[in-house]
Amino acid sequence: MSTETEEQKYEKYYVPEQSPWPIIGAVGLFVLAFGAGHFIQQSSGKVGNDGSFGWLIFLFGLAIMIYMVWSWWRDTIRESMSGLYSEQMDRSFRQGMLWFITSEVMFFAAFFGGLFYARALVVPWLGGEGANAMTHAILWPDFIPQWPLTETPDGRTTQAMGPMGLPAINTAILLTSSWTLTIAHHALKDGNRATLLNYTVITAMLGIIFLGLQVWEYHHAYSEMGLTLGSGIYGSTFFMLTGFHGLHVTIGTIFLIVLSIRCSQGHFKPENHFAYEAGAWYWHFVDVVWLFLFIFVYIL
């Protein structure tokens, strides 16, 4: 009787079998990094005359990584659908996702910090603020410290990307996508499978539209505005922040597409759907980052 009580007191914790995916992922990352480094060397002319060899190695490493991620998630989904996971495993997944999003917050905080440093400190220093008056007078006497920095100290000029037009439309799209995803999440909790699937698909489509409009915005910046990565500190910070955010939107959109496929196959239950919640957390995080981007990069 005491043995049964002890078994009831402690829930079972699933320990998966040995998996080949960690070592395959390590090999894939090595090949990926090796190919990228070799491609950069070749493209710069330091090794050979053509970067195609390094590019092929990079693509091979990327293929290994995609295969590893696909296979590992496939096994995880099978284990979850088989009812092998306990509540403790669910809590572990939640903690892992929270720490991952925390690391992403720090990632973007570093870039926003770089933007603040350039705007609030570097540009005024170049304009002669504080003890830098003599440096300004000797090196760049005609430099006007302003933001956006559309004219660099060496005389290069560009145009600033305003908030109206495509940026405002993309902001509306992302805000709408958070709303549609929230509807889908509540439908999942209520057991409404049709609404769940429809609004998850709509959210994924909004993500695709956002990415398409951002590509259009980049094309407009390069071809018509002269705003490029080489356009001084303004151009580099603009593309660094919006580009990394676009990468995260791409990952989130892929996440939503996978969730849509799983919803169509009857996955997720009102009482067991952490994978869906993880996708929702990530997407809402991406939306919040865009709001900060829209304010500090496009408006201010």
Side-chain angles (χ1 to χ4, degrees):
M1 191 68 178
S2 60
T3 303
E4 294 178 356
T5 303
E6 289 296 324
E7 290 179 354
Q8 293 173 357
K9 182 178 179 181
Y10 297 102
E11 62 181 78
K12 295 181 180 179
Y13 189 91
Y14 174 67
V15 179
E17 299 178 356
Q18 291 185 353
S19 173
W21 308 127
I23 185 63
I24 291 177
V27 172
L29 280 174
F30 174 79
V31 174
L32 195 73
F34 180 82
H38 207 70
F39 170 72
I40 293 172
Q41 282 189 317
Q42 288 177 317
S43 300
S44 63
K46 294 181 179 180
V47 179
N49 299 317
D50 185 11
S52 59
F53 179 67
W55 181 244
L56 290 175
I57 297 177
F58 174 83
L59 291 178
F60 180 62
L62 183 62
I64 295 176
M65 292 301 299
I66 293 174
Y67 171 71
M68 180 275 297
V69 170
W70 177 275
S71 302
W72 202 339
W73 286 0
R74 177 200 60 196
D75 291 350
T76 303
I77 291 171
R78 287 176 178 174
E79 292 168 353
S80 177
M81 296 295 294
S82 300
L84 298 176
Y85 293 160
S86 62
E87 293 184 6
Q88 177 60 42
M89 181 67 79
D90 185 72
R91 290 192 292 270
S92 297
F93 281 135
R94 292 176 185 275
Q95 291 175 8
M97 191 64 190
L98 286 173
W99 280 116
F100 170 69
I101 292 179
T102 300
S103 70
E104 293 288 272
V105 170
M106 296 298 103
F107 178 84
F108 278 102
F111 288 136
F112 277 108
L115 176 64
F116 171 80
Y117 181 78
R119 292 181 58 169
L121 298 176
V122 174
V123 172
W125 287 343
L126 294 177
E129 184 178 285
N132 301 280
M134 186 58 66
T135 302
H136 168 70
I138 295 176
L139 297 180
W140 304 293
D142 298 326
F143 174 67
I144 300 175
Q146 62 182 2
W147 193 271
L149 189 61
T150 54
E151 184 175 355
T152 60
D154 61 0
R156 286 177 294 173
T157 60
T158 185
Q159 298 181 49
M161 182 69 72
M164 294 297 101
L166 292 177
I169 294 172
N170 266 346
T171 301
I173 288 173
L174 279 189
L175 291 176
T176 303
S177 71
S178 274
W179 175 65
T180 56
L181 186 58
T182 300
I183 293 176
H185 194 185
H186 282 285
L188 172 56
K189 293 180 178 179
D190 296 336
N192 189 339
R193 306 293 306 184
T195 302
L196 166 65
L197 177 59
N198 291 337
Y199 277 86
T200 304
V201 171
I202 290 173
T203 307
M205 292 177 62
L206 289 173
I208 294 173
I209 294 172
F210 176 92
L211 292 171
L213 291 179
Q214 189 168 48
V215 171
W216 186 7
E217 179 186 66
Y218 278 9
H219 179 267
H220 172 68
Y222 263 78
S223 61
E224 300 179 26
M225 299 178 61
L227 178 59
T228 68
L229 275 169
S231 301
I233 190 66
Y234 172 65
S236 61
T237 54
F238 174 82
F239 285 103
M240 177 181 65
L241 282 162
T242 59
F244 273 116
H245 177 266
L247 174 63
H248 283 72
V249 173
T250 302
I251 296 173
T253 302
I254 295 173
F255 207 155
L256 289 169
I257 292 173
V258 173
L259 292 178
S260 299
I261 295 173
R262 293 192 62 188
C263 289
S264 67
Q265 295 180 351
H267 293 194
F268 309 125
K269 298 178 182 178
E271 67 279 359
N272 183 19
H273 57 269
F274 170 69
Y276 195 94
E277 283 189 331
W281 291 356
Y282 187 82
W283 191 255
H284 292 315
F285 159 74
V286 168
D287 290 354
V288 171
V289 171
W290 176 259
L291 290 179
F292 281 96
L293 276 173
F294 186 65
I295 294 172
F296 291 103
V297 175
Y298 290 94
I299 297 179
L300 298 180

